[in-house]
Amino acid sequence: MRRSERAAHLLERTHLSAMLRGLGTWNGVLVLNYHRIGSADGTARDPDLWSAQAGELDDQVGFLAEHFDLIRPDQIQDVLTQRERAVMLTFDDGYRDNYDVALPILQKHAVPAVFFIATGLLDEPRLSWWDEIAWMTAHAPAGASGVSRVRELTSLYKSLGAADAREHLLDRIATETGSGRAPEGLGRDEWMTWPMVRSLEAAGLSVGGHSHTHPVLARLSPAEQQYEIETCARRIREELGHSMRWFSYPVGLRDSFDPHTRELVGQSGAELAFSFYGGHVRPSRFDPYDVPRTPVHRESSAQRFRAAAAAPALFARP
């Protein structure tokens, strides 16, 4: 058990977690991020992008709804100005399970959330590059697969800028693993459709952009970044009838976006842009184009989840 998990269990056993929540020991906004909802078992998909199973998400949202105000992105600055505390829920990429599984849970608890979509994966549904890496690794000869290998290869992919270099890497993985590239058509049913996205908004939930094809933007030229951000904003405007007010950086680590990215996101009309390296939004450190989010991990215990809400400065980490 990791040190943070042991500390979280200690907080629960001693009832300090509940005491910290009741005392209001922090203020600001804790922005939690999810990806897939469901089980990774037998899927041959990137194991790091399964955030929670349905029952776990239900428990987590129920807990948050009982103890915290859950807010929309347009309420963040009000919370910070009044030095209150709140939680915001976000979901990245546009997976269909977000619609099939997460939406009913959010409606059950009557809470808001934001869905950041990679518009190109809705326009042309296909296996994402991270899932193709996981698929090829899973179909490699015995001994060549594993979570560590997937993480190593996805990290290598994220380090590359040029599209041809990224495609060459996928071809090389296909050859070295002996798996070949993933079959055409695999992954087409894993994404929401535009009518589903419109249904999210009709249900009172928010939708933002997550680039068009989900590259690491800081690895691209300014012109390539502009294409990714502007195309995403245009597709949202065409399909949903409004501007892209919210954006989340693909991958979202500190080196995943740069000054060009921030400027282009602002020029697109987005009012807030969200990162993904842990922490929470503090009144004294609010940057509208670097709003920190904390990932929800499927391997984290319920105690760790509650500890992050009680003391985000200690537990809201990647």
Side-chain angles (χ1 to χ4, degrees):
M1 185 183 295
R2 295 191 307 175
R3 182 179 302 174
S4 59
E5 285 285 355
R6 291 197 297 270
H9 280 269
L10 177 62
L11 281 180
E12 286 293 314
R13 287 200 307 270
T14 59
H15 303 292
L16 285 174
S17 183
M19 184 181 300
L20 289 172
R21 290 195 302 271
L23 290 174
T25 54
W26 63 276
N27 55 41
V29 181
L30 174 63
V31 186
L32 298 175
N33 180 246
Y34 293 85
H35 285 84
R36 282 189 168 104
I37 305 301
S39 173
D41 295 344
T43 63
R45 300 293 185 266
D46 189 335
D48 287 336
L49 293 184
W50 294 89
S51 301
Q53 297 195 38
E56 293 169 332
L57 178 64
D58 191 19
D59 290 343
Q60 291 166 1
V61 175
F63 167 80
L64 294 172
E66 180 180 356
H67 295 286
F68 296 91
D69 290 329
L70 277 82
I71 64 169
R72 304 183 309 271
D74 59 356
Q75 296 174 295
I76 286 181
Q77 295 197 48
D78 288 341
V79 172
L80 297 178
T81 299
Q82 297 169 26
R83 302 192 68 81
E84 297 175 345
R85 62 175 179 168
V87 175
M88 194 171 82
L89 303 178
T90 68
F91 295 80
D92 275 6
D93 298 338
Y95 299 106
R96 185 165 298 193
D97 59 60
N98 289 185
Y99 179 83
D100 292 337
V101 182
L103 173 58
I105 292 171
L106 297 170
Q107 291 178 310
K108 170 186 172 182
H109 296 283
V111 299
V114 190
F115 294 83
F116 293 107
I117 56 174
T119 52
L121 294 174
L122 275 64
D123 288 343
E124 299 179 16
R126 61 195 181 276
L127 201 63
S128 63
W129 59 260
W130 54 92
D131 279 340
E132 185 169 17
I133 289 174
W135 184 92
M136 291 188 290
T137 303
H139 288 79
S145 61
V147 173
S148 61
R149 181 63 171 155
V150 173
R151 288 173 177 165
E152 174 190 346
L153 292 171
T154 53
S155 294
L156 179 58
Y157 185 99
K158 292 173 186 177
S159 71
L160 302 175
D164 57 350
R166 288 180 269 138
E167 194 66 18
H168 176 71
L169 174 62
L170 295 178
D171 288 337
R172 197 177 86 198
I173 296 170
T175 300
E176 292 181 357
T177 59
S179 65
R181 295 292 295 266
E184 186 177 353
L186 191 65
R188 283 181 180 169
D189 296 331
E190 298 183 4
W191 306 100
M192 287 188 280
T193 64
W194 283 110
M196 291 176 182
V197 176
R198 287 190 282 273
S199 293
L200 294 177
E201 292 199 326
L205 302 170
S206 303
V207 174
H210 195 44
S211 81
H212 189 57
T213 66
H214 204 292
V216 179
L217 292 169
R219 307 288 183 268
L220 307 182
S221 69
E224 291 169 322
Q225 290 196 49
Q226 183 175 18
Y227 169 81
E228 284 288 334
I229 294 167
E230 287 189 354
T231 304
C232 181
R234 175 177 59 81
R235 292 298 294 128
I236 286 176
R237 186 168 58 252
E238 291 171 347
E239 294 289 345
L240 304 182
H242 61 73
S243 63
M244 181 180 72
R245 296 183 65 188
W246 330 115
F247 188 85
S248 70
Y249 302 112
V251 179
L253 301 179
R254 295 180 190 274
D255 65 348
S256 301
F257 55 99
D258 59 22
H260 290 296
T261 323
R262 293 167 56 100
E263 181 180 1
L264 290 166
V265 169
Q267 291 174 357
S268 76
E271 300 166 27
L272 298 173
F274 295 78
S275 52
F276 185 64
Y277 52 78
H280 69 288
V281 191
R282 306 182 187 192
S284 60
R285 298 182 183 178
F286 177 58
D287 180 344
Y289 293 104
D290 185 2
V291 182
R293 296 186 296 168
T294 292
V296 177
H297 294 295
R298 64 189 176 108
E299 67 269 18
S300 294
S301 66
Q303 291 83 3
R304 171 66 186 271
F305 183 88
R306 291 193 289 267
L314 298 176
F315 293 97
R317 301 296 178 199

